[in-house]
């Protein structure tokens, strides 16, 4: 009865959902003409050297997720389908082909190697070429490939990694690690033959491979402490205890690796971060922290380490990687709210930077088998029902569905009747066509949004590994510097590869 009432209400109200202004054809003509004028202005290409690079990576944020997140954002603010995400306002948009060298539908490690290191790789491998076989430590030597973060560091730039997932997880770790297996977080997760073969775990590589990363914010501290060492925040939870077999405290090792006279701060809760005088911090390692807002004064516009710390610390910290987690669990509500949070971070960074000197790129590593449809009327709640019942089993269905995943449920031999459950709940698992404990990635292209110097280089359909090459060209780092000259090159440019907040893993 509840479902029938909702369906009738949707049908009765659909005629009134068209805003009055949209009934006037001149509204659409004016809108198109304004868009045309804006497009014509883009003929004046911004060919400045990028002083700053920001990469926003929404893990699992496929095109269907972007569209649904746009509608959700609009509905949260009394609007709807006509609303705009911050990334929608970027003038240049491309598509990236996400396949791994050995996989039609990719994982987050092979894709991270592509968009960070500029080289496509095998599924499950990090920061190495396709000559490396997953799990085979002895195939790694000589196959390491470097990332745009290293290219920037070698050019004397300040760099930062921010993620809402473990900093050792697949998406962020391709920025600094080389591994035949994305799951080798600490030596406690590595097989004996890999340890005997001299391969290093990912947490150790975070500390040793590029020791002067100015800002690292992310989770996963248990991989940095000796086995069975109690966690500082959750001392009684066994699953939070340290996992390292070598007995090393990598937080201490991180501090000791810093040059004499430099201030290196490690914080593991929000209070500690808020208490820091960031103008006096040279290196920051933050773990499991909700990143607070309001910590950066744009009037200062400082360059160097303090500036990057302030900018990164100002971004909201509940976005990026958890998009992927929500989809894998079939919890679309969680995934889409995370995408909206990522977009909020993009808007904040946009307000704090200039298109004259900052190239911002927003993309995803891969998509998911997430969809929404069912001929829903304008204004239909994004987490609501389609305005019809199935003409096969005569039951209602939600607009949002998954191709596979944990939402597959059979009750009394039939598809579950969603009118009997709270399908708007945050933990509701949308129905799927195929039962799986975890929903899978999708194989389609992902969008690439670009704004700032040389943003026009991201256009059309590209291989995913093209992205860091275009960004490096814009900033005059890496291998393509022939177009740069001393007059155009900024004296102390910054690189902010924004993996996570904004950088999330699968």
């Amino acid at each position: 009865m509840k479902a029938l009432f909702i369906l009738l209400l949707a049908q009765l109200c659909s005629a009134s959902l068209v805003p009055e202004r949209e009934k006037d054809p001149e509204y659409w003509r004016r809108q198109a003409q304004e868009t045309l004028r804006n497009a014509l202005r883009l003929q004046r290409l911004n060919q400045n050297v990028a002083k700053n690079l920001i990469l926003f990576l929404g893990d699992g944020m496929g095109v269907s997720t972007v569209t649904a997140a746009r509608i959700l954002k609009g509905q949260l603010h009394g609007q709807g389908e006509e609303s705009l995400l911050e990334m929608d306002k970027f003038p240049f948009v491309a598509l990236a082909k996400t396949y791994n060298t050995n996989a039609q539908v990719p994982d987050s490690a092979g894709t991270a190697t592509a968009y960070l290191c500029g080289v496509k790789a095998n599924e499950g491998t990090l920061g190495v070429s396709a000559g490396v076989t997953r799990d085979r430590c002895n195939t790694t030597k000589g196959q390491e490939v470097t990332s745009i973060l290293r290219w920037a560091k070698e050019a004397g730039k300040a760099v930062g990694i921010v993620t809402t997932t473990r900093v050792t997880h697949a998406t962020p770790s391709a920025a600094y690690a080389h591994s035949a297996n994305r799951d080798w977080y600490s030596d406690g997760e590595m097989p004996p033959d890999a340890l005997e073969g001299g391969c290093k775990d990912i947490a150790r590589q975070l500390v040793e491979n590029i020791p002067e990363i100015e800002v690292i914010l992310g989770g996963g501290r248990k991989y940095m402490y000796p086995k069975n060492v109690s966690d500082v925040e959750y001392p009684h939870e066994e699953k939070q205890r340290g996992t390292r077999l070598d007995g090393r405290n990598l937080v201490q090792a991180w501090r000791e690796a810093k040059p004499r006279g430099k201030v290196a701060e490690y914080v593991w809760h929000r209070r500690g971060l808020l208490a820091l005088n960031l103008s006096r911090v040279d290196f920051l390692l933050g773990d499991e922290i909700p990143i607070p807002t309001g910590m950066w004064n744009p009037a200062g516009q400082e360059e160097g380490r303090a500036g990057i710390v302030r900018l990164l610390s100002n971004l909201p910290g509940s976005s990026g990687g958890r998009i992927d987690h929500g989809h894998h669990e079939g919890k679309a509500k969680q995934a889409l709210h995370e995408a909206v949070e990522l977009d909020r971070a993009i808007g904040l960074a946009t307000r704090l930077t200039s298109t004259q000197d900052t190239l911002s790129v927003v993309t995803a590593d891969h998509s998911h088998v997430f969809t929404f449809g069912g001929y829903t009327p304008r204004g239909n709640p994004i987490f609501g029902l389609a305005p019809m019942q199935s003409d096969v089993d005569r039951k209602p269905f939600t607009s949002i569905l998954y191709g596979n995943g944990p939402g597959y449920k059979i009750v009394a031999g039939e598809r579950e009747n969603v009118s009997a459950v709270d399908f708007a709940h945050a933990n509701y698992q949308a129905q799927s066509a195929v039962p799986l404990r975890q929903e899978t990635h999708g194989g389609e292209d992902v969008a690439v949004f670009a704004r700032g110097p040389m943003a026009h280089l991201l256009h059309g359909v590209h291989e995913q590994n093209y992205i860091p090459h275009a960004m490096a060209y814009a900033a005059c780092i890496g291998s393509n510097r022939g177009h740069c000259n001393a007059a155009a090159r900024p004296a102390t440019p910054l690189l902010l590869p924004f993996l996570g907040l904004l950088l999330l893993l699968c």
Side-chain angles (χ1 to χ4, degrees), residues 85-390:
L85 292 168
E86 296 296 333
M87 65 186 86
D88 292 337
K89 301 172 188 177
F90 284 31
F92 295 95
V93 182
L95 291 175
K97 298 189 284 183
T98 63
Y99 67 92
N100 296 150
T101 46
N102 66 339
Q104 188 177 75
V105 177
D107 90 314
S108 291
T111 52
T113 302
Y115 65 76
L116 290 175
C117 302
V119 172
K120 286 222 172 193
N122 289 332
E123 175 268 338
T125 65
L126 287 167
V128 291
S129 76
V132 173
T133 303
R134 185 170 185 171
D135 295 322
R136 297 275 300 278
C137 170
N138 61 1
T139 64
T140 306
K141 189 173 182 180
Q143 300 298 321
E144 299 88 351
V145 293
T146 58
S147 74
I148 188 171
L149 186 141
R150 182 179 285 278
W151 308 341
K153 203 67 206 159
E154 290 175 349
K157 321 308 185 201
V159 298
I161 299 173
V162 180
T163 177
T164 54
T165 65
R166 295 189 294 274
V167 76
T168 50
H169 217 308
T171 304
S173 60
Y176 58 83
H178 314 286
S179 180
N181 190 315
R182 56 176 285 178
D183 297 326
W184 290 350
Y185 303 128
S186 78
D187 58 350
E189 284 74 40
M190 296 177 68
D193 66 298
L195 293 172
E196 293 165 5
C199 284
K200 296 181 182 179
D201 63 87
I202 295 169
R204 180 180 172 188
Q205 293 187 62
L206 172 65
V207 172
E208 296 181 356
N209 285 7
I210 311 177
E212 294 192 11
I213 300 173
E214 278 78 3
V215 177
I216 304 170
L217 296 176
R221 61 176 170 252
K222 70 179 182 179
Y223 303 114
M224 304 185 78
Y225 287 99
K227 188 173 179 63
N228 291 327
V229 169
S230 295
D231 185 77
V232 290
E233 191 172 8
Y234 309 104
H236 304 299
E237 294 191 21
E238 187 174 348
K239 67 179 182 179
Q240 300 295 340
R241 292 176 182 173
T243 66
R244 302 200 61 78
L245 301 178
D246 58 12
R248 296 184 67 190
N249 179 331
L250 292 185
V251 173
Q252 181 180 340
W254 172 81
R255 278 200 174 103
E256 292 173 350
K258 299 300 173 285
R260 183 184 297 273
K262 298 296 183 181
V263 177
E265 294 284 358
Y266 169 70
V267 291
W268 54 268
H269 54 71
R270 188 174 185 272
R271 294 189 309 277
L273 184 58
L274 288 169
L276 292 177
N277 182 345
L278 293 175
S279 64
R280 298 179 182 177
V281 174
D282 298 294
F283 299 96
L284 175 63
L285 176 61
D287 191 26
E288 313 281 4
I289 298 172
I291 302 165
T293 59
M295 295 185 65
W296 188 68
N297 175 12
Q301 295 289 338
E302 294 134 307
E303 294 185 355
R305 294 169 178 82
I308 189 173
V309 168
R310 284 189 171 83
L311 178 56
L312 298 184
S313 298
N314 194 46
L315 289 168
S318 57
S319 53
R322 303 294 183 178
I323 300 169
D324 184 75
H325 293 174
H327 280 322
H328 277 309
E329 294 176 11
K331 297 177 181 178
K333 193 164 192 176
Q334 294 186 13
L336 295 185
H337 275 281
E338 292 293 341
V340 171
E341 283 299 300
L342 172 60
D343 195 63
R344 189 162 68 95
I346 293 166
L348 179 57
T350 297
R351 293 191 295 275
L352 296 178
T353 58
S354 167
T355 55
Q356 294 306 303
D357 63 9
T358 301
L359 173 62
S360 298
V361 176
V362 181
T363 189
D365 47 355
H366 54 74
S367 184
H368 279 267
V369 291
F370 161 85
T371 186
F372 70 100
Y375 302 114
T376 49
R378 180 81 173 266
N380 198 72
I382 192 63
F383 303 115
L385 294 173
M388 65 184 77
Q389 293 183 345
S390 165

